[in-house]
Amino acid sequence: MSFGMTRSKSLIVRERERERMMGSSPTAREARLQKKVEEALRSKMKARALKECDHVVSKFAECAKGRTFSVVWTCRFHSKELNECLHKFTNDDVLEEYKKQYILEQVNRQSS
């Protein structure tokens, strides 16, 4: 799985290694880069979740069509099903896997 991150984002990996070795905290610039990388990974995670749960999203959308307040109780089952499906692909464990994959890609890119 390739995330197509830019070269400047590979700095984060190097900085994290340096921080572990030296015990220093990240600078403001490094913190911003780390936040941007995490936001990009979260965005990819959400896109994958919507793609994987497309069938459930469609069911909920069909149920909700033409409804306003009644969607809360009328489509309760579809809403619960949608939330469960999305949670499978958007939890902390999945995000950690994305982060690990990103770091491995950066390390592989640096070593080649």
Side-chain angles (χ1 to χ4, degrees):
M1 173 182 330
S2 176
F3 295 108
M5 298 295 165
T6 63
R7 182 176 159 202
S8 65
K9 292 181 182 174
S10 68
L11 292 172
I12 293 171
V13 175
R14 282 187 250 142
E15 291 300 325
R16 284 184 183 163
E17 289 177 15
R18 187 178 65 156
E19 288 169 16
R20 275 194 300 257
M21 292 168 48
M22 300 179 75
S24 63
S25 62
T27 65
R29 181 174 182 270
E30 293 163 351
R32 281 194 306 270
L33 282 174
Q34 289 174 356
K35 185 172 174 99
K36 286 185 180 187
V37 170
E38 186 166 331
E39 286 174 5
L41 293 176
R42 282 185 187 277
S43 178
K44 290 191 179 295
M45 181 176 66
K46 289 177 185 177
R48 178 177 174 233
L50 288 173
K51 182 179 177 184
E52 295 288 335
C53 298
D54 187 51
H55 63 287
V56 184
V57 172
S58 298
K59 286 181 189 177
F60 178 76
E62 187 63 35
C63 179
K65 190 182 290 184
R67 301 186 199 285
T68 54
F69 296 112
S70 66
V71 73
V72 174
W73 57 85
T74 306
C75 304
R76 187 177 320 152
F77 171 77
H78 297 294
S79 175
K80 185 176 179 183
E81 186 180 24
L82 176 59
N83 285 334
E84 288 172 357
C85 183
L86 290 173
H87 183 72
K88 288 179 192 175
F89 301 100
T90 57
N91 59 54
D92 291 337
D93 294 334
V94 174
L95 181 60
E96 286 303 314
E97 287 300 317
Y98 271 82
K99 288 178 182 180
K100 287 177 187 176
Q101 183 67 34
Y102 172 76
I103 290 170
L104 284 175
E105 287 179 7
Q106 296 302 311
V107 169
N108 289 338
R109 200 175 280 159
Q110 289 174 2
S111 64
S112 35

